[in-house]
Amino acid sequence: MQGKAFAAVAAASFLALAACSSEPSGGTGTGTGTTTITYAFWGNNDESATIKSMIAAFEKANPGIKVEANWIQSDYEQKLQTSIAGGDAPTVAQISNTSLPSFANAFTPVQVDPSVYYSAAVGKAGNVGGTDYAVPFVAKSKVMAVDKAAFDSAGVAVPSGSTPISTQDFVSAAKRLTSGSGAKKVYGSAPLWYDGWLIAEGGSYYSPDAQNCTMGNADGIRAAQTVVDSTKPDGFAPNPTDAQGQDMFQWLTDGKVAMLPDFGPWNIAKIAALDTSKFLIVPMPGKGEPMEVDSLGISKSATEAERTAATTFTKFMSTSPDAQNLLATTTSALGVPVIQGSLDTFKAIAPKVNLQAFVDAVTNAVTTPYVKDKVKIESTFSTDLNSRTAIGSGKEDPAVVLPELQAQCQKMLDATK
């Protein structure tokens, strides 16, 4: 759901008005003892099929509730905002933890028991300002895929499947794995994502108490410098121009990159189909990367009967093995289950690929504090960072730019207090 943040900010004002609506959300009673609710979600064809199989499992277990699937194939958040503002909100809406603050006013508070989930980060994913507005549903942790043959050829030790290598060792390995030039250059790594590498380096956008912006400290500067240096002519990753529009997973399988950081669960089916003696999933370096958790919010405008049915539905999707066991298959993976009881089923999908690394990433995920106007603050920061430094199209020194952007961030943060 990254990249939709700007739309969420633009719609914040009318979301607050929509949250006050008393109109039904679209679910109705049929008069035959069945309550109908609607469920909005995004995804490709395979992911939609997975969601619909989970809905079918729910309806089989709960014959008194019918769930109408509202598959939004593009511009999900914009269309969700429009439906909420127009008084036609879905009874249940899928929402990522990164976007939830912009939608929380449209959802009714829910009861979430964090102890149900094996990861503290998952248990907190639906919480905004101390109140739970959505029920955790699926975790999308990040790992790294590596080409073992490239490591062997370069005489570099293959990373452990369970213990993360340090960011320094990653950079050292990436440099040794890089060879050639021009069109025949083989890169040690695919491009690095600054927000992810900031966490990997031990940094963060904010202090744990959410009172201070911290991305301009030594960790943030080191992360930015690593990203910039990686794409220089003598660097270990393709520059933004060379990487634009390219499938980095294909580059991994073609031997053009040796390490693919920021590897999400949506790639599980693809890597499971490869020769697992040549490719391996390992933890992200350092402290890992931010994890997205998709949750289920219940419309504030739902009727009492719809809300009761929606509560039953969201609990099933979040905590029942009958639903969680369906999250990932050899053809499609929405993400990693959030309950312990479904992990063995998840790992059995591709037992030779080390899916445990995804589970470990969920367990050890870094949690970020709630920050009001988070989307606006971070989109402003990212826009300026990309325009001024070589992380994007600029040329300024990150060591100069980041402290200035941190000060700007602090002013915006202070204005929300």
Side-chain angles (χ1 to χ4, degrees):
M1 295 302 294
Q2 294 166 359
K4 300 184 180 71
F6 179 80
V9 174
S13 59
F14 67 76
L15 275 177
L17 294 174
C20 298
S21 171
S22 60
E23 293 297 316
S25 65
T28 61
T30 64
T32 60
T34 298
T35 300
T36 300
I37 61 174
T38 54
Y39 168 34
F41 57 92
W42 68 86
N44 59 30
N45 289 334
D46 289 334
E47 292 167 337
S48 174
T50 298
I51 290 288
K52 290 175 181 177
S53 71
M54 298 173 77
I55 292 174
F58 170 77
E59 290 180 333
K60 182 178 180 180
N62 299 270
I65 303 173
K66 177 176 175 55
V67 180
E68 292 185 349
N70 180 8
W71 176 28
I72 300 177
Q73 301 179 49
S74 63
D75 302 320
Y76 177 80
E77 290 185 4
Q78 286 184 322
K79 291 176 180 176
L80 180 60
Q81 291 158 2
T82 299
S83 67
I84 292 170
D88 190 30
T91 320
V92 176
Q94 189 168 317
I95 196 73
S96 71
N97 62 307
T98 56
S99 300
L100 179 60
S102 297
F103 285 84
N105 285 341
F107 297 143
T108 189
V110 293
Q111 295 294 320
V112 174
D113 180 0
S115 67
V116 171
Y117 311 104
Y118 61 89
S119 166
V122 168
K124 298 176 182 178
N127 194 283
V128 175
T131 300
D132 289 309
Y133 289 99
V135 179
F137 162 56
V138 59
K140 297 180 177 179
S141 53
K142 301 291 185 62
V143 296
M144 182 167 68
V146 301
D147 179 352
K148 292 190 288 185
F151 279 80
D152 292 339
S153 177
V156 179
V158 177
S160 165
S162 57
T163 303
I165 61 173
S166 68
T167 53
Q168 294 89 342
D169 286 346
F170 168 86
V171 171
S172 176
K175 290 178 178 178
R176 292 178 61 186
L177 291 162
T178 300
S179 62
S181 60
K184 295 184 178 180
K185 185 171 184 177
V186 173
Y187 296 94
S189 172
L192 302 179
W193 172 43
Y194 172 75
D195 284 18
W197 207 248
L198 174 65
I199 301 296
E201 288 281 10
S204 63
Y205 269 85
Y206 315 101
S207 59
D209 62 4
Q211 297 301 302
N212 297 292
C213 295
T214 57
M215 73 283 281
N217 63 16
D219 294 330
I221 292 172
R222 185 171 61 253
Q225 196 61 61
T226 298
V227 176
V228 169
D229 290 346
S230 71
T231 60
K232 289 181 177 179
D234 60 347
F236 58 77
N239 63 45
T241 300
D242 291 338
Q244 186 174 15
Q246 300 297 310
D247 183 345
M248 286 296 118
F249 183 87
Q250 190 62 50
W251 279 33
L252 176 74
T253 61
D254 290 343
K256 295 182 68 174
V257 298
M259 294 186 285
L260 181 53
D262 197 33
F263 189 86
W266 46 87
N267 286 315
I268 288 174
K270 288 196 269 186
I271 198 167
L274 300 179
D275 182 348
T276 53
S277 68
K278 296 180 180 179
F279 299 92
L280 178 69
I281 291 175
V282 301
M284 274 295 298
K287 300 293 184 180
E289 281 202 1
M291 176 178 70
E292 178 182 336
V293 178
D294 294 339
S295 299
L296 304 174
I298 300 173
S299 174
K300 232 176 192 178
S301 61
T303 66
E304 183 176 354
E306 293 161 3
R307 194 170 300 156
T308 298
T311 299
T312 302
F313 175 67
T314 56
K315 182 178 180 180
F316 178 89
M317 297 287 275
S318 177
T319 65
S320 172
D322 289 342
Q324 290 281 303
N325 288 352
L326 299 174
L327 281 172
T329 68
T330 54
T331 58
S332 176
L334 291 182
V336 185
V338 294
I339 59 170
Q340 185 76 37
S342 291
L343 295 183
D344 286 343
T345 299
F346 170 74
K347 290 182 286 186
I349 294 167
K352 296 182 179 180
V353 177
N354 188 34
L355 296 185
Q356 180 64 42
F358 278 111
V359 176
D360 292 342
V362 175
T363 303
N364 302 321
V366 177
T367 58
T368 56
Y370 165 71
V371 173
K372 187 179 180 181
D373 289 343
K374 171 183 171 72
V375 173
K376 180 179 180 181
I377 291 171
E378 293 179 15
S379 62
T380 299
F381 167 79
S382 294
T383 298
D384 291 344
L385 182 69
N386 280 281
S387 66
R388 294 182 60 181
T389 74
I391 288 176
S393 58
K395 296 181 179 181
E396 295 182 60
D397 183 354
V400 174
V401 172
L402 275 166
E404 295 177 2
L405 297 186
Q406 178 174 295
Q408 175 181 307
C409 170
Q410 191 65 49
K411 289 181 180 178
M412 296 177 70
L413 183 62
D414 289 342
T416 68
K417 299 174 183 177

